[in-house]
Amino acid sequence: MKRVLILGSTGSIGTQALDVIERSPELFEVVGLSAGRGHEQLIAQAERHGVSRIAVSDPDAAALAAEAWTAGDVLRGPDGLISLVAESQADLVLNAIVGSAGLGPTIVALTEGIDVALANKESLVVGGELVTALAEATGARLIPIDSEHTAIHHLLTGEPPGVVEKLIITASGGPFRGRKLADLNAVTVEQALNHPTWSMGGKITIDSATLMNKGLEVMEAHHLFGTPYDRIDVVVHPQSIIHALVQLCDGSTKAHLGYPDMRVAIGYALHHPDRADLPIENLDLVKLGKLEFEEPDLDAFPCLRLAREAAVAGGTAPCALNAANEIAVHAFLTGRLTFTGIPRVIDGVLEQLGTRRVHSFETLYVTDSEARRVAAELVETEVHA
């Protein structure tokens, strides 16, 4: 049996991962679960799956969990999360934590030589070369959990080195596809959270609306597949049927198609190299109708441009971009920043901090802290403008 530790088990990816695991109980043993705040749901999951150790990041929620659950150990805060990973003896850590908070657990898992099923793209956006070098040094595998990167992983299987000309990542375009920048200043949080094809958590849904998510995915693809940035494209495809394409040196293009369902990516990561048997409908090509494609509008959605610029700049720039984005998105979700204020805050942080060489993970943590401080100041400036 494969021993699996799931971080962020109460979120969208975590709950779907447990659903996939329940369909093959003879193949998996869940050895630990973690959540940020949702301790009641976490305890219910632990009881259902016979888990004896859980971790809760929020101190108040952890204290409540410890009072409510005496059947096992409740580990508290960031240190408790690290201990859960380091002491898990897992074969696979599924990291579905949202944001840069997922970097530490990824580092610990790879250091222990544990394979990581990575739904936390920030681990590669922020950690980049250091994370991939650590995986190579310990022999641990990084397996993507993302519709686009899972698709690319599929498409590259069996292809020899040197034949790939370009990776193409698709984007739904989010709820504001087709709108101009002037139309976006007054959009509401409710409108931004109304994604046309995917059901996701709040932060990633806003990232999809700004197209920042595609910028982060470009960085993730660069590190996962060793592809230069000038050979990774983004194309808007509102139906979300084609998840990625790979263009080859002989002029052919391979595409990965399927109805939008994250269980495909989750099942691929959990069962890899085998294939999961999932109750997901096959494509009906006749009923599918027309598939559309268009260039992303970088004037209306400058976050994608900012992400590409930070990626090419390298060093600490991607880390600063990610931290600034997290602060700006939170400010938007709490009504303190306009939708169009998000890229302005990110741009301001990048302009102030520039980029420096990354010497160690400590460099990244320092940059993350600096970027959050500057972003918070810029949010206040926007509020009082």
Side-chain angles (χ1 to χ4, degrees):
M1 297 182 73
K2 185 179 291 186
R3 294 168 55 86
V4 180
L5 170 64
I6 301 179
L7 309 180
S9 64
T10 59
S12 174
I13 297 295
T15 54
Q16 290 180 86
L18 289 171
D19 174 70
V20 172
I21 285 173
E22 283 189 335
R23 298 178 187 279
S24 303
E26 74 284 359
L27 298 179
F28 300 102
E29 177 188 1
V30 182
V31 297
L33 300 168
S34 86
R37 295 183 178 86
H39 70 282
E40 293 179 347
Q41 184 182 358
L42 181 64
I43 290 171
Q45 290 175 336
E47 292 175 345
R48 181 179 179 90
H49 293 274
V51 173
S52 61
R53 301 192 91 197
I54 62 175
V56 184
S57 299
D58 181 77
D60 294 335
L64 292 172
E67 291 179 7
W69 192 57
T70 58
D73 296 330
V74 178
L75 306 179
R76 307 185 185 195
D79 290 341
L81 182 62
I82 295 302
S83 296
L84 181 68
V85 176
E87 299 166 8
S88 66
Q89 296 184 327
D91 301 306
L92 180 71
V93 171
L94 192 159
N95 187 349
I97 295 173
V98 176
S100 59
L103 175 60
T106 294
I107 294 170
V108 173
L110 295 176
T111 300
E112 296 292 327
I114 304 171
D115 292 343
V116 177
L118 196 60
N120 174 259
K121 60 174 59 67
E122 290 84 359
S123 290
L124 287 173
V125 170
V126 176
E129 286 83 0
L130 296 182
V131 169
T132 53
L134 180 59
E136 185 175 353
T138 62
R141 295 180 302 168
L142 285 167
I143 308 168
I145 294 186
D146 204 332
S147 60
E148 295 81 7
H149 300 89
T150 296
I152 294 171
H153 204 278
H154 275 292
L155 296 170
L156 293 180
T157 300
E159 296 294 347
V163 304
V164 177
E165 293 287 327
K166 186 167 288 187
L167 307 180
I168 302 175
I169 297 171
T170 58
S172 70
F176 306 128
R177 181 178 68 90
R179 295 202 193 184
K180 298 302 180 183
L181 182 62
D183 303 326
L184 296 175
N185 191 58
V187 300
T188 66
V189 172
E190 183 180 11
Q191 290 170 330
L193 290 173
N194 186 26
H195 195 279
T197 53
W198 292 98
S199 176
M200 306 172 290
K203 195 266 182 183
I204 192 172
T205 304
I206 300 303
D207 282 351
S208 179
T210 65
L211 292 192
M212 174 59 82
N213 201 39
K214 292 302 130 178
L216 302 183
E217 287 174 7
V218 166
M219 296 186 209
E220 189 179 7
H222 167 75
H223 294 297
L224 280 171
F225 307 114
T227 304
Y229 284 116
D230 61 0
R231 289 167 53 196
I232 305 175
D233 282 352
V234 173
V235 62
V236 174
H237 167 50
Q239 292 79 23
S240 297
I241 294 297
I242 297 179
H243 305 298
L245 305 97
V246 171
Q247 294 183 338
L248 305 175
C249 61
D250 61 0
S252 62
T253 298
K254 298 166 69 175
H256 184 280
L257 293 79
Y259 292 121
D261 194 317
M262 281 304 299
R263 288 177 298 174
V264 174
I266 294 166
Y268 183 77
L270 287 172
H271 286 263
H272 187 76
D274 297 322
R275 186 82 63 169
D277 185 6
L278 298 171
I280 297 173
E281 183 183 2
N282 290 322
L283 283 181
D284 186 325
L285 296 176
V286 174
K287 293 182 179 178
L288 198 56
K290 181 181 178 182
L291 299 180
E292 301 171 273
F293 305 92
E294 59 194 50
E295 290 284 341
D297 184 346
L298 300 184
D299 292 327
F301 303 98
C303 281
L304 177 55
R305 172 182 56 80
L306 291 170
R308 275 196 172 275
E309 290 173 355
V312 172
T316 56
C319 177
L321 172 123
N322 181 76
N325 181 60
E326 289 187 15
I327 294 296
V329 168
H330 182 265
F332 171 70
L333 286 170
T334 53
R336 298 173 55 246
L337 187 67
T338 64
F339 185 80
T340 52
I342 295 174
R344 285 197 297 270
V345 167
I346 296 168
D347 193 18
V349 170
L350 293 173
E351 184 176 346
Q352 286 195 40
L353 297 187
T355 186
R356 303 187 302 274
R357 290 184 60 189
V358 176
H359 300 286
S360 65
F361 285 112
E362 182 61 28
T363 305
L364 298 174
Y365 287 119
V366 170
T367 299
D368 181 86
S369 178
E370 291 177 349
R372 290 174 188 276
R373 174 185 57 79
V374 175
E377 293 172 355
L378 292 173
V379 167
E380 289 304 313
T381 300
E382 288 273 338
V383 169
H384 296 102

